[in-house]
Amino acid sequence: MAIRKILLPLAGVASARATLGTALMLGARWRAHVHALHVRTDTRDVAPLAGEGLSGAMIEEMMATTEKEGNTEARALSALFDAETAAHGIAVGAPVRDASGAVGQASAWFSSIVGREEELVASEARLSDLIVVPHPKSAEEVASADALHAVLFDSGRPALIAPVEPAEIIGSRIAIAWNGTAESASAVASVLPWLSGAQQVRIFHSNDYQRQGPAADQLASYLELHGIAADITEFRAIDRSAGAGLLAAVTEFGADLLAMGAYSHSRLRQLILGGVTRHVLEHARLAVLMNR
């Protein structure tokens, strides 16, 4: 299935620069509509966080400050959006259709709304083909990670984690991390539209990463049915870290896109003990397509 709608949650200007460039580049490639969404904090959510011992006037001042900061951030993001769409030659407005009714060219739209980011992003994502989110380390904004987890856990849609620095090409050399799980199978389904246009596709597997399920050679046979030729490489853990071994192998391959399942183990377990998902989120330099 072609990618026709891309959702781009924007948390702040610092993380938005690389993410906007990535989303608009992909929008041009797929002739897709890019919806850049900024969610401002609802001032009514600030009051319960103020705690006891604050006067009504102090709480009102906090709420006013929150609203002012949100509006200032929205204006800055809107200006950045206008500059980036102009630089990429992307039409701003509703999706542009040709005489047959099909989408004829890329388009983009920016909106800033008030609410709870994790809820609104997850809701919007459910009717999007791809969600481009900032790399968790692209800025100090906690909201960047919140948007990623909202997509992974509450939307049922794939999240593309943009590289920290904008990439000129994404999807020419594609790495697939395979461990036989339902999550990795979902990642394969999401990356299928990309594979036919790739110069090379490689499946990465390891005994340190494999779970109960189909093996890598079975995935290669499945991809052949879709007309995709993929070779297979086994990687080894580095210092007992399968994530480090995977990224080292993917980097050696020269991949510009890594497709993988996310949180095959519980998120809490990965936060406490570490895991492949956590390692990739913290250390990957390339674009990563994640599914859960």
Side-chain angles (χ1 to χ4, degrees):
M1 181 181 71
I3 295 172
R4 287 290 177 259
K5 182 180 178 183
I6 298 173
L7 177 66
L8 174 60
L10 296 177
V13 173
S15 63
R17 296 185 185 279
T19 318
L20 256 172
T22 298
L24 294 174
M25 176 185 69
L26 295 177
R29 170 179 175 172
W30 294 102
R31 294 185 301 170
H33 181 65
V34 178
H35 178 194
L37 174 66
H38 173 236
V39 181
R40 306 191 306 279
T41 302
D42 189 338
T43 56
R44 292 173 296 182
D45 292 334
V46 175
L49 300 176
E52 299 179 0
L54 295 180
S55 66
M58 295 173 68
I59 293 176
E60 287 184 6
E61 183 179 352
M62 289 181 64
M63 293 172 66
T65 299
T66 299
E67 182 176 7
K68 180 180 179 180
E69 291 175 349
N71 291 336
T72 299
E73 192 79 79
R75 287 192 294 270
L77 286 170
S78 179
L80 179 62
F81 172 84
D82 290 341
E84 289 292 323
T85 49
H88 284 79
I90 303 293
V92 176
V96 180
R97 302 181 184 277
D98 58 25
S100 66
V103 176
Q105 66 184 65
S107 58
W109 183 252
F110 173 83
S111 63
S112 180
I113 57 179
V114 174
R116 296 184 178 180
E117 184 185 36
E118 63 274 14
E119 294 176 359
L120 292 173
V121 168
S123 179
E124 286 288 329
R126 290 168 193 158
L127 291 180
S128 300
D129 299 312
L130 180 68
I131 299 86
V132 178
V133 298
H135 191 286
K137 291 204 170 184
S138 62
E140 295 301 321
E141 297 148 356
V142 176
S144 297
D146 289 344
L148 170 61
H149 291 127
V151 173
L152 289 178
F153 286 90
D154 295 316
S155 76
R157 308 303 295 154
L160 181 81
I161 302 162
V164 176
E165 299 295 333
E168 294 183 5
I169 299 175
I170 294 177
S172 64
R173 296 177 66 82
I174 299 177
I176 300 174
W178 179 256
N179 64 358
T181 61
E183 292 82 3
S184 59
S186 294
V188 169
S190 293
V191 82
L192 273 178
W194 303 73
L195 297 182
S196 60
Q199 295 178 3
Q200 190 171 358
V201 179
R202 180 167 293 177
I203 300 166
F204 291 84
H205 72 106
S206 170
N207 290 333
D208 301 307
Y209 184 46
Q210 183 70 23
R211 305 289 181 264
Q212 185 175 1
D217 59 344
Q218 292 174 277
L219 171 59
S221 298
Y222 168 76
L223 292 178
E224 285 182 3
L225 297 175
H226 288 271
I228 306 299
D231 55 36
I232 302 173
T233 292
E234 182 176 0
F235 67 90
R236 296 181 180 275
I238 296 177
D239 295 331
R240 298 185 179 182
S241 170
L246 171 63
L247 283 184
V250 167
T251 300
E252 184 179 359
F253 170 57
D256 51 41
L257 176 63
L258 168 63
M260 63 179 292
Y263 297 111
S264 297
H265 293 300
S266 73
R267 181 184 175 191
L268 178 61
R269 181 184 185 278
Q270 295 224 25
L271 287 174
I272 296 173
L273 300 177
V276 176
T277 304
R278 179 178 173 183
H279 187 93
V280 170
L281 287 175
E282 291 179 351
H283 299 285
R285 306 297 299 177
L286 76 166
V288 181
L289 185 67
M290 279 192 173
N291 281 75
R292 189 174 187 278

